[in-house]
Amino acid sequence: MSEVSGGVLERTKNEEAEFVQPLVLGDRLKQIRLSNNLTLADVSEMTGVARSTLSKIENHQLSPTFQVVQKLVEGLSIDIPQLFRAAPADAGGASRRTWTKHGEGTPHPTATYEHELLCTDLSQRKMVPFKTTVRAHSFSEFGDWVRHDGEEFLWVLTGPVAVYSEHYEPLVLDTGDCMYFDSRMGHALVSPGETDAEVLWVVAR
Amino acid sequence: MSEVSGGVLERTKNEEAEFVQPLVLGDRLKQIRLSNNLTLADVSEMTGVARSTLSKIENHQLSPTFQVVQKLVEGLSIDIPQLFRAAPADAGGASRRTWTKHGEGTPHPTATYEHELLCTDLSQRKMVPFKTTVRAHSFSEFGDWVRHDGEEFLWVLTGPVAVYSEHYEPLVLDTGDCMYFDSRMGHALVSPGETDAEVLWVVAR
DNA sequence: GTAAATTGTTTCGTATTGGAAACAATTATT
DNA sequence: AATAATTGTTTCCAATACGAAACAATTTAC
């Protein structure tokens, strides 16, 4: 093995081609079909896959070609994860939801930003969303790069916003623009305009 | 056609087997393989798929069986969406940052939503952001709950939006409100007002 | 520089898929 | 009830996927 550079893939070995879910696909297809009151003929017409083939798939009598899977996904206008994840059952009591009304987040001011933390009353989240008012009006107001693990997505609610980041030229985003970047790369926001800028910010760990 | 109950699937017709992305899969596989410094032999060992087959897939000389796709997904320990996401092109730069200007995302229509995928030219993201126009104007337009792994955050750009979710009462959010919830819990958005609603949506796996 | 090893590609034979059509099993229609 | 339509299943065969092995094209070893 040519040195797997500590990347994404070093985990598995797959001792012996044990299938992930040999059945799920057919079951899922049937489930989707029935829950929409479709016949095999309907699905056949929508997807261009023969009735017979569909039948065999649903009954686990064959492993469809990727082409066929594509036709199904396209023709039924469903997305791939939806087709593969077993979607039955009750989600096992994983019912978690919360919301924050406009302006009612938790204030969290820093030297250069005015954060409003959102949806904080749900713990153990994969993402941390907040709305931020950018007070800084020049890059020199920053001491050093902000840098941490994770990834960030931001959407400009009120622009313009200048994005400074390591290894890159500054970039100016305006209202409705958005950006995604690796948080380990040093970054900072500046409001080049007259007024303070506002961005919606989501950080994933 | 046995009355498609105005459900999820009435959109497409797929006149003639026009492929969705005949290339993407092979390209994506190669990309993943190379970015991890793996040889075809490595991947073959990890997945149990023959070198020759892998070569053909990468060169678009065949459409692999679903079984093979499963072996790839399992053996390389990547997830399905990741495998199907379009190759990252040039990105907004060399490595880990990209942006999307207002309205220039990738359209992805479904029966009830009009998604605009954002920042797609960065692969292997922890989050998938998109802007969505909610077309559905009644809950009955949905065939079944949307349900998948992960968590979601959404911010209402243009309200009102009614959020339906399993185990809960419907909740109406207005412009500037936001919400966070577990994606395994069935969910659906409806635009109760006259016009279509718009939300900014971020999904984390 | 030559040999050996490693890499990706290409044959080629076998096994499997996938569609047309025949079949069986229900459901509608008269 | 008999007939026709509609549904899902099964045959059959052409088309195609898949793997073993041969083949090139590099790279590494000596």
Side-chain angles (χ1 to χ4, degrees), chain A residues 82-104:
Chain A
Q82 194 177 345
L83 188 60
F84 293 107
R85 295 280 155 247
D90 206 12
S95 39
R96 305 198 307 147
R97 94 173 187 187
T98 187
W99 66 90
T100 302
K101 301 295 283 183
H102 192 217
E104 298 186 357

Side-chain angles (χ1 to χ4, degrees), chain B residues 69-100:
Chain B
V69 175
Q70 279 187 307
K71 287 183 187 174
L72 294 177
V73 166
E74 174 75 3
L76 296 174
S77 67
I78 50 184
D79 52 328
I80 314 243
Q82 190 183 134
L83 185 62
F84 294 98
R85 219 180 302 293
D90 193 19
S95 52
R96 299 253 66 193
R97 117 176 170 181
T98 188
W99 64 91
T100 302

Side-chain angles (χ1 to χ4, degrees), chain B residues 1 3 7 18 36-37 49 56-57 69 74 102 118 169 192:
Chain B
M1 165 107 55
E3 57 166 314
E18 40 101 15
N36 283 82
N37 291 334
V49 177
K56 289 169 198 165
I57 294 175
V69 175
E74 174 75 3
H102 191 219
L118 304 172
E169 288 298 305

Side-chain angles (χ1 to χ4, degrees), chain A residues 154-168:
Chain A
L154 64 86
W155 169 278
V156 180
L157 294 167
T158 311
V161 172
V163 181
Y164 289 78
S165 45
E166 246 177 346
H167 316 308
Y168 287 102

Side-chain angles (χ1 to χ4, degrees), chain B residues 1 41 48 53 76 92 97 116 121 130-131 135 145 170 187 197 202:
Chain B
M1 165 107 55
T53 304
L76 296 174
R97 117 176 170 181
E116 178 189 347
D121 48 0
F130 46 94
K131 195 185 106 175
R135 275 203 303 254
W145 290 115
H187 52 281
V202 185

Side-chain angles (χ1 to χ4, degrees), chain A residues 1-5 7-9 11-14 17-22 25 31-32 35-39 42 45-48 63-71 74-82 84-85 87-91 94-103 118-119 122 124-129 131 150-153 155 157 163-165 168-182 184-185 200 202-205, chain B residues 1-5 7-14 17-22 25 32 35-39 42 45-47 63-67 69-71 74-81 84 92-102 108 110-111 118-119 122 124-127 129 131 143-144 147 149-153 155 157 163 165-182 184-185 200 202-205:
Chain A
M1 163 111 52
S2 50
E3 58 167 316
V4 183
S5 58
V8 192
L9 314 171
R11 182 172 64 84
T12 344
K13 262 306 179 183
N14 200 350
E18 41 102 14
F19 299 114
V20 197
Q21 318 138 317
L25 177 70
Q31 188 181 22
I32 291 174
S35 73
N36 282 82
N37 290 334
L38 296 174
T39 69
D42 294 336
E45 184 168 343
M46 296 169 78
T47 61
S63 170
T65 285
F66 179 65
Q67 275 189 8
V68 168
V69 174
Q70 279 186 306
K71 288 182 187 175
E74 174 73 5
L76 296 173
S77 68
I78 53 185
D79 53 323
I80 294 119
Q82 194 177 345
F84 293 107
R85 295 280 155 247
D90 206 12
S95 39
R96 305 198 307 147
R97 94 173 187 187
T98 187
W99 66 90
T100 302
K101 301 295 283 183
H102 192 217
L118 304 171
C119 299
L122 201 58
Q124 300 208 330
R125 295 166 302 171
K126 294 178 187 295
M127 297 179 283
V128 180
K131 196 185 103 176
E151 299 175 5
E152 310 195 8
F153 170 74
W155 169 278
L157 294 167
V163 181
Y164 289 78
S165 45
Y168 287 102
E169 289 297 304
L171 173 71
V172 175
L173 300 177
D174 220 319
T175 305
D177 298 343
C178 62
M179 179 163 195
Y180 197 109
F181 61 92
D182 192 310
R184 289 171 301 185
M185 183 177 68
L200 182 64
V202 185
V203 179
R205 291 186 292 256
Chain B
M1 165 107 55
S2 53
E3 57 166 314
V4 182
S5 55
V8 191
L9 313 171
E10 78 275 349
R11 183 173 64 86
T12 344
K13 264 306 179 185
N14 202 347
E18 40 101 15
F19 299 115
V20 197
Q21 316 144 314
L25 177 70
I32 292 174
S35 72
N36 283 82
N37 291 334
L38 296 174
T39 69
D42 294 336
E45 185 168 343
M46 295 169 78
T47 61
S63 171
T65 286
F66 178 65
Q67 275 189 10
V69 175
Q70 279 187 307
K71 287 183 187 174
E74 174 75 3
L76 296 174
S77 67
I78 50 184
D79 52 328
I80 314 243
F84 294 98
S95 52
R96 299 253 66 193
R97 117 176 170 181
T98 188
W99 64 91
T100 302
K101 301 295 285 182
H102 191 219
H108 180 77
T110 72
L118 304 172
C119 301
L122 199 60
Q124 308 217 345
R125 296 166 300 173
K126 294 178 187 295
M127 297 180 285
K131 195 185 106 175
D144 203 358
R147 206 197 311 263
D149 275 334
E151 298 175 8
E152 310 193 8
F153 171 74
W155 169 278
L157 294 167
V163 181
S165 45
E166 249 177 341
H167 317 306
Y168 287 101
E169 288 298 305
L171 173 70
V172 175
L173 300 177
D174 221 319
T175 304
D177 297 345
C178 61
M179 180 164 193
Y180 196 109
F181 61 92
D182 192 309
R184 289 171 300 182
M185 181 177 69
L200 182 65
V202 185
V203 179
R205 289 191 292 259

